[in-house]
Amino acid sequence: MEKETLSKSSWRNLINIDSVYNSDRQRQAFSLFAMIAFAIVVLVFLLLANYDVYSPILSVALLVANMTIIACTVYFFKTGKLEVVSITTMSIIFIMCIALIYTGGKENTALYWLMFYPVVTFATLGVRLGFWLSFSLILCCIALLYGPNFGQVDYGIVEKSRFMASFSLVFTFSFIGEFFRQKSHASIAEITLAQKKDAYTDQLTGAANRRFVTSHFFKLVSDNPDNYLPFSILLLDLDHFKSINDNYGHDSGDTVLIEFTKMLESQFSRDSIKARYGGEEFVVILPKETIETAEKVANSFRESVANTTLLNVDSKNVALTCSIGVAQVNKLADYNDALKQADRCLYKAKETGRNKVVSAFT
């Protein structure tokens, strides 16, 4: 039951797998801009080579599409909003495809240019948006090829049926490929997150471990210093813990560590980081807290430990206390120095009688 409670600790919500999602974002961006580069070159070539052959509607559509795609590219490099650019670009190309079907292009060869659309749309927008845009294009194709005459070019029966069969096949397999690719990616992301959480969790207490602080928390602070700095470090150590193991056994010692961790979780704020550093030593990080406030918080917690029964053996309450060293970190590069400072304060608290808080401020 203890592990279940501790697994809901807020520190776990800080663990992310951005690298997994970033790789997929890079894939989408590469697919989109490969298509954009190809589209720009092809559209310019077609306009220059066939401006005297194309209908005015198609020429204007191609020109507007080209200018819009270039504008979207510039917008992306200024804002980094990939999804907005992807949706806008694929919507513009959607309209261009409609214009191609309507006018027929050069010698009624327009239908061939539509085959790429489902492949690129699913690759850049994913299953849901890719499906709706591609499926909408299929419906528009059916309406223009088999519906009433609105002035569109006339295609042969065989040509229309072969195009619809081929286009539907490309759509179907593009959907299947992207659906299972996305499903596999989600499974990999879930496994990766579970492995990362396991690697950052102390197996006995369910609290964060030293690796979480050095490998993950440091990166969070580095990326968002205003959300964390300055922060205070509390280095906590259970007094006379060895005697618990010696007198009552290691199972009793494990019970004390678990109960002590539960107290850390319940009495410190959800924003704070609570980690087991090894043995009976723990560290608590208080984001956006100065050392003066941290010292008061530490004393309050110390008193709670002294007044709480962490172990009961044979109906006998075993008294326990803790000693705490406190230091402040103003910039991430100073963390190790501050930790050493907190360790010296902890040693002083032990040396001068235990069950004390010693701060680098005092």
Side-chain angles (χ1 to χ4, degrees):
M1 189 67 179
E2 293 88 350
K3 291 284 188 70
E4 183 179 347
T5 302
L6 292 172
S7 67
K8 297 178 183 178
S9 302
S10 58
W11 71 270
R12 285 176 166 260
N13 298 327
L14 296 175
I15 298 175
N16 61 62
I17 47 173
D18 289 342
S19 58
V20 175
Y21 295 110
N22 287 341
S23 63
D24 195 54
R25 176 182 167 86
Q26 289 172 357
R27 179 196 62 81
Q28 289 180 305
F30 187 83
S31 299
L32 176 65
F33 288 106
M35 185 277 298
I36 284 178
F38 180 80
I40 290 173
V41 172
V42 170
L43 291 178
V44 170
F45 174 78
L46 291 177
L47 278 171
L48 294 177
N50 302 290
Y51 69 93
D52 56 340
V53 178
Y54 286 161
S55 69
I57 293 176
L58 182 56
S59 295
V60 171
L62 293 177
L63 181 62
V64 171
N66 208 22
M67 293 174 63
T68 306
I69 290 172
I70 293 172
C72 285
T73 304
V74 173
Y75 179 76
F76 172 77
F77 286 111
K78 285 188 174 183
T79 65
K81 295 181 178 179
L82 180 62
E83 187 174 18
V84 173
V85 172
S86 298
I87 293 173
T88 304
T89 301
M90 298 314 299
S91 298
I92 292 298
I93 294 177
F94 179 96
I95 296 171
M96 186 189 72
C97 289
I98 300 299
L100 279 169
I101 302 170
Y102 184 86
T103 62
K106 186 177 181 180
E107 299 178 2
N108 284 11
T109 58
L111 296 179
Y112 296 110
W113 292 101
L114 272 64
M115 291 299 179
F116 79 96
Y117 191 79
V119 177
V120 177
T121 306
F122 278 113
T124 56
L125 294 179
V127 172
R128 186 173 60 86
L129 290 174
F131 174 85
W132 286 115
L133 270 178
S134 297
F135 186 68
S136 297
L137 185 57
I138 290 177
L139 295 180
C140 290
C141 288
I142 293 172
L144 287 171
L145 295 177
Y146 296 99
N149 190 337
F150 297 109
Q152 65 267 38
V153 71
D154 186 30
Y155 298 94
I157 296 297
V158 174
E159 187 177 10
K160 289 190 289 187
S161 60
R162 286 180 177 176
F163 165 74
M164 287 305 305
S166 300
F167 193 69
S168 299
L169 195 64
V170 172
F171 167 80
T172 300
F173 280 95
S174 296
F175 171 78
I176 291 173
E178 180 60 23
F179 176 80
F180 284 101
R181 188 210 63 79
Q182 190 166 304
K183 191 174 182 180
S184 298
H185 183 269
S187 297
I188 291 170
E190 187 176 337
I191 292 170
T192 302
L193 182 60
Q195 290 176 338
K196 207 166 186 180
K197 285 184 175 181
D198 187 60
Y200 290 150
T201 301
D202 176 63
Q203 296 304 306
L204 173 65
T205 63
N209 58 23
R210 181 190 295 258
R211 184 184 298 174
F212 170 79
V213 177
T214 57
S215 298
H216 200 77
F217 179 71
F218 280 9
K219 188 176 186 306
L220 292 175
V221 177
S222 178
D223 292 342
N224 303 283
D226 292 342
N227 293 341
Y228 296 96
L229 294 172
F231 63 79
S232 292
I233 302 173
L234 276 60
L235 202 58
L236 307 93
D237 191 272
L238 284 162
D239 297 328
H240 302 297
F241 180 76
K242 185 176 181 299
S243 64
I244 299 293
N245 287 328
D246 293 342
N247 296 329
Y248 303 104
H250 287 280
D251 286 345
S252 295
D254 290 348
T255 298
V256 169
L257 293 174
I258 291 171
E259 293 300 319
F260 186 74
T261 303
K262 289 170 66 176
M263 285 193 69
L264 291 174
E265 290 290 344
S266 64
Q267 299 206 22
F268 287 99
S269 68
R270 286 182 57 83
D271 293 335
S272 61
I273 306 298
K274 287 79 70 174
R276 185 184 179 195
Y277 250 41
E280 68 273 24
E281 191 172 72
F282 293 78
V283 66
V284 175
I285 296 173
L286 304 177
K288 304 297 289 184
E289 291 289 1
T290 61
I291 195 169
E292 296 94 332
T293 303
E295 186 176 358
K296 295 175 183 177
V297 171
N299 262 309
S300 176
F301 179 76
R302 178 192 58 78
E303 291 172 2
S304 294
V305 173
N307 295 322
T308 301
T309 300
L310 295 178
L311 180 65
N312 183 287
V313 180
D314 298 330
S315 301
K316 178 184 176 183
N317 293 336
V318 180
L320 283 163
T321 60
C322 70
S323 301
I324 306 174
V326 186
Q328 181 174 315
V329 176
N330 295 313
K331 55 183 180 179
L332 191 56
D334 296 337
Y335 178 84
N336 288 331
D337 290 337
L339 187 64
K340 291 176 183 177
Q341 199 173 33
D343 190 51
R344 287 194 293 270
C345 291
L346 175 60
Y347 180 79
K348 185 176 180 181
K350 293 278 191 180
E351 195 178 43
T352 55
R354 294 182 171 82
N355 191 24
K356 289 183 178 182
V357 173
V358 176
S359 165
F361 176 70
T362 57

